[in-house]
Amino acid sequence: MPLTAIQDYFTGDHAICYGCGSDNAHGLQVRTYWDGQYGTFHFSPQDYHTAFPGVVYGGLIASLFDCHCIGTAVAAAYEKEGRPPGSDPLIMYVTANLNVNYLRPTPMGSELMLKSHIIEQKGKKTVVACTLSADDTPCANATVVGIRAT
Ligand SMILES: CCCCCCCCCC(=O)SCCNC(=O)CCNC(=O)[C@H](O)C(C)(C)COP(=O)(O)OP(=O)(O)OC[C@H]1O[C@@H](n2cnc3c(N)ncnc32)[C@H](O)[C@@H]1OP(=O)(O)O
């Protein structure tokens, strides 16, 4: 696994995203570690991330999927072009579609693990699939369609 997350190569206006921008002090700080096959991210929900007693809020889960999968699309695009992550010209994707399946309640108090992989890279479109697990049990999965913006 790389030591640097793809998001940490981005600065300025590209580091303000609520989900993953390093310059957004109120954000979720999603970090995607891409190893060429999988993107990995660990997240520990705080008490205020709850929906019901003991259950993580689903909208938070959607946000984690969103930024982790777009980060995966960006990292995979740099790799496909044979360029170092973050190098110019900058590669950026936006979310066109985010589809989440909530398989079972995601428990509070456990570290969540998101594992993503590329389903399709074609033209300006990349499709990413991702599973979110708690204590090695899948709790939700998602498919994200990212469209290359730059
Ligand atoms: C390291 C990363 C650092 C920073 C990461 C920041 C992550 C932030 C993630 C976000 O939250 S981005 C903000 C939320 N997203 C938006 O605001 C996007 C708003 N929508 C748009 O700007 C346009 O609709 C969009 C660029 C997504 C698509 O418009 P296009 O005119 O480029 O699409 P086009 O019609 O050319 O279609 C291109 C392909 O995308 C597909 N497509 C377009 N919209 C789609 C859609 N909604 N769902 C599924 N597929 C879609 C379309 O079918 C087609 O597929 P094929 O190439 O296979 O034919």
Side-chain angles (χ1 to χ4, degrees), residues 65-131:
F65 278 134
D66 188 2
C67 274
H68 180 55
C69 290
I70 293 297
T72 301
V74 171
Y78 274 108
E79 181 178 59
K80 189 175 182 184
E81 293 187 7
R83 294 202 279 129
S87 60
D88 286 330
L90 195 74
I91 295 177
M92 183 58 66
Y93 279 71
V94 295
T95 311
N97 182 272
L98 166 62
N99 189 290
V100 181
N101 298 303
Y102 297 96
L103 307 173
R104 55 178 52 79
T106 299
M108 297 290 291
S110 297
E111 184 181 64
L112 308 181
M113 203 268 270
L114 285 83
K115 192 169 181 183
S116 58
H117 66 279
I118 301 294
I119 299 288
E120 178 186 344
Q121 274 176 307
K122 187 180 139 215
K124 62 182 183 180
K125 181 171 86 172
T126 296
V127 184
V128 182
C130 189
T131 299

Side-chain angles (χ1 to χ4, degrees), residues 7-148:
Q7 289 85 3
D8 287 326
Y9 292 100
F10 289 76
T11 58
D13 284 351
H14 300 102
I16 62 172
C17 175
Y18 173 69
C20 61
S22 56
D23 288 351
N24 191 327
H26 301 285
L28 297 172
Q29 301 293 330
V30 170
R31 291 290 179 274
T32 300
Y33 295 91
W34 171 249
D35 68 5
Q37 186 174 11
Y38 295 108
T40 305
F41 169 54
H42 293 88
F43 184 83
S44 295
Q46 303 300 301
D47 291 345
Y48 50 81
H49 288 136
T50 194
F52 301 106
V55 177
V56 176
Y57 173 55
L60 169 74
I61 289 169
S63 292
L64 299 178
F65 278 134
D66 188 2
C67 274
H68 180 55
C69 290
I70 293 297
T72 301
V74 171
Y78 274 108
E79 181 178 59
K80 189 175 182 184
E81 293 187 7
R83 294 202 279 129
S87 60
D88 286 330
L90 195 74
I91 295 177
M92 183 58 66
Y93 279 71
V94 295
T95 311
N97 182 272
L98 166 62
N99 189 290
V100 181
N101 298 303
Y102 297 96
L103 307 173
R104 55 178 52 79
T106 299
M108 297 290 291
S110 297
E111 184 181 64
L112 308 181
M113 203 268 270
L114 285 83
K115 192 169 181 183
S116 58
H117 66 279
I118 301 294
I119 299 288
E120 178 186 344
Q121 274 176 307
K122 187 180 139 215
K124 62 182 183 180
K125 181 171 86 172
T126 296
V127 184
V128 182
C130 189
T131 299
L132 177 149
S133 303
D135 304 320
D136 292 326
T137 301
C139 298
N141 59 42
T143 305
V144 171
V145 178
I147 303 295
R148 187 155 170 175

